[in-house]
Amino acid sequence: MTAAHAPRPTVVLVYQRTSLPWVFDSARRAGIDLVLVPRPDEPVSPDRLPPGVVEVLPLDVEGDPAAALAALRARHSSRPFDGITTLYDPAVPFVADAAEALGLPGLGGGTARAVQDKRLMRRRLAEAGLNVPGFVVLDEPGASAAAAQLDFPVVVKPANGFSSLGVTKADSPERLGAVVDEVWQVCRSKLHRVTGLVVEEFLDGPELAVESLAHRGTVHVLTIGYKGEPVGPHFEEGVYRAPAPLAPHVQDAVVREVVAAHAALGVTDGPTHTELRLRGGERPYLLELGARIGGSGVSHYIAEHVTGTDLAADALRLAAGLAPRSLPDPAQRPARARGAAANYIVPCGGAGRITALHGLAEVAADPRVDHVVQMLHPGDVVRPYPDFTGYPAFILSHHPSTKDAEEFHRDLADLIRIDYAPAGDAQ
């Protein structure tokens, strides 16, 4: 078969929201066909498929992973595909297991669990000599006594949680037991598997997000972004602006920590989204490293608009066993910025049943705004933290500089408002 008639690579994409379009657009640009495993809470119409999607394959990846793997094996046997990937953090271990079982490129099961389970991640980072706060692992409810010996305040988080689900600060040993019980309850109600909790010493300082792509063990750091300075008790995400204004020596320290974390966790190929805090504004401590494009594709938008890199296309190529095509010079870490990009995550700002969201139409008309992605709508119920209902909306925008993005976000905080009515099931 000649190159002109070679079949297009096919990648199975697990649990990607169709309302966030970047990965689909990148697949079309890269000439890669997608078999979409849709999220259970998002119906996909076969006659209105996103770009790049040639097939919809419904699977219950979280509820019945064995049946999902059997269905993938049957599909691969009858019509082979070249790779499988996900941008949904809880599905990372399943995708790694499926890739291993089918002989496809992937992280490997051990690495996938190390990046998805905060207990394993903390231990591996500590063994590698990286900056790690004092921490204690809790494997069962009621076992919080060991954590009382840590320096307070501490943060309690589900070991296999995602986003800010259940993450809660305890300011004193007296509050610790109640917070631990509260987070266990969130785990039982929101997670398909409850693996335990991690209690770790609270880190002050700015929070950063780092977007990278690893290829054959070389980590290409694309962008370092600023994510605010959350103080708790809950850690609702709010802003993301890149590139972060960092002193050169701090930027170098962040890059070293991120590259070392990839090695410690065994991540040699694929996209990563790393979150850190700068303790005292200087010393980077890794919060977590996710082996996927962050924010269901938001990280692709940030990297593309700051550096021109097509992160999603290269991630799909790697999943299919192909070489990336848009990586920057590996000697430049992070890659040279050509502009600024930002994501304003509309805060819930309350709880109850949403009756109205004000300001989104005005924002969508702003020429600086490329996407307004609305996830919550009138009628949806928002529950108080530490429960995590979801984000009302993402507002993605481009700017000449990070300072311009910061000023824009201040305007958005005044413009956007959510109205609530009482809801009995939101208490």
Side-chain angles (χ1 to χ4, degrees), residues 68 116 183 215 290 383 416 424:
Q116 213 270 328
V183 178
H215 179 48
R383 295 176 175 82
I416 300 172

Side-chain angles (χ1 to χ4, degrees), residues 197-222:
L197 307 182
V198 171
V199 183
E200 60 189 33
E201 293 170 0
F202 173 72
L203 298 168
D204 64 353
E207 187 168 323
L208 303 177
V210 179
E211 313 304 345
S212 308
L213 188 74
H215 179 48
R216 296 179 178 175
T218 297
V219 181
H220 300 262
V221 176
L222 304 176

Side-chain angles (χ1 to χ4, degrees), residues 14-338:
V14 177
Y15 280 14
Q16 174 61 22
R17 286 203 181 279
T18 58
S19 57
L20 286 91
W22 307 284
V23 66
F24 302 108
D25 294 338
S26 290
R28 180 171 57 186
R29 286 194 297 271
I32 293 176
D33 291 337
L34 298 177
V35 176
L36 176 64
V37 178
R39 291 176 62 107
D41 60 347
E42 185 181 63
V44 177
S45 173
D47 60 347
R48 297 184 63 186
L49 297 179
V53 175
V54 297
E55 180 184 346
V56 177
L57 183 64
L59 301 173
D60 187 0
V61 167
E62 293 183 297
D64 195 347
L69 181 56
L72 283 172
R73 193 186 297 276
R75 169 60 170 80
H76 188 58
S77 177
S78 62
R79 288 171 292 156
F81 44 88
D82 300 281
I84 180 170
T85 191
T86 187
L87 284 70
Y88 179 60
D89 196 64
V92 167
F94 171 83
V95 165
D97 289 344
E100 281 192 323
L102 301 176
L104 301 173
L107 285 173
T111 296
R113 281 160 182 79
V115 298
Q116 213 270 328
D117 188 327
K118 295 176 179 62
R119 301 170 302 176
L120 296 175
M121 185 181 298
R122 282 281 170 263
R123 288 167 179 154
R124 287 203 186 179
L125 295 177
E127 289 167 0
L130 276 71
N131 297 329
V132 174
F135 71 97
V136 169
V137 170
L138 305 182
D139 292 321
E140 57 186 23
S144 60
Q149 307 306 312
L150 296 171
D151 291 337
F152 279 74
V154 298
V155 177
V156 183
K157 55 182 68 174
N160 62 325
F162 57 97
S163 296
S164 51
L165 173 70
V167 180
T168 308
K169 186 169 75 169
D171 287 314
S172 66
E174 292 74 26
R175 277 284 299 150
L176 179 62
V179 170
V180 166
D181 290 345
E182 191 175 57
V183 178
W184 272 113
Q185 180 56 40
V186 171
C187 291
R188 286 190 289 265
S189 64
K190 289 288 187 176
L191 297 176
H192 283 267
R193 295 181 303 108
V194 182
T195 61
L197 307 182
V198 171
V199 183
E200 60 189 33
E201 293 170 0
F202 173 72
L203 298 168
D204 64 353
E207 187 168 323
L208 303 177
V210 179
E211 313 304 345
S212 308
L213 188 74
H215 179 48
R216 296 179 178 175
T218 297
V219 181
H220 300 262
V221 176
L222 304 176
T223 63
I224 302 174
Y226 171 77
K227 294 196 70 180
E229 198 164 338
V231 297
H234 308 300
F235 296 86
E236 183 177 7
E237 296 194 53
V239 301
Y240 183 4
R241 298 188 288 265
L246 299 175
H249 73 281
V250 175
Q251 180 173 279
D252 290 345
V254 170
V255 169
R256 285 195 301 271
E257 200 76 5
V258 169
V259 171
H262 281 71
L265 298 169
V267 179
T268 60
D269 290 274
T272 61
H273 173 79
T274 308
E275 298 187 352
L276 311 94
R277 289 198 81 153
L278 291 177
R279 197 167 207 173
E282 292 275 327
R283 189 174 185 183
Y285 280 70
L286 199 112
L287 298 177
E288 62 180 7
L289 186 152
R292 77 282 188 267
I293 296 175
S296 295
V298 169
S299 296
H300 164 84
Y301 174 88
I302 297 291
E304 180 182 40
H305 283 267
V306 173
T307 69
T309 303
D310 195 336
L311 175 58
D314 276 343
L316 290 170
R317 291 184 182 109
L318 287 175
L322 304 173
R325 295 185 183 176
S326 66
L327 286 176
D329 183 350
Q332 294 180 355
R333 295 190 303 193
R336 188 183 306 278
R338 66 181 193 181

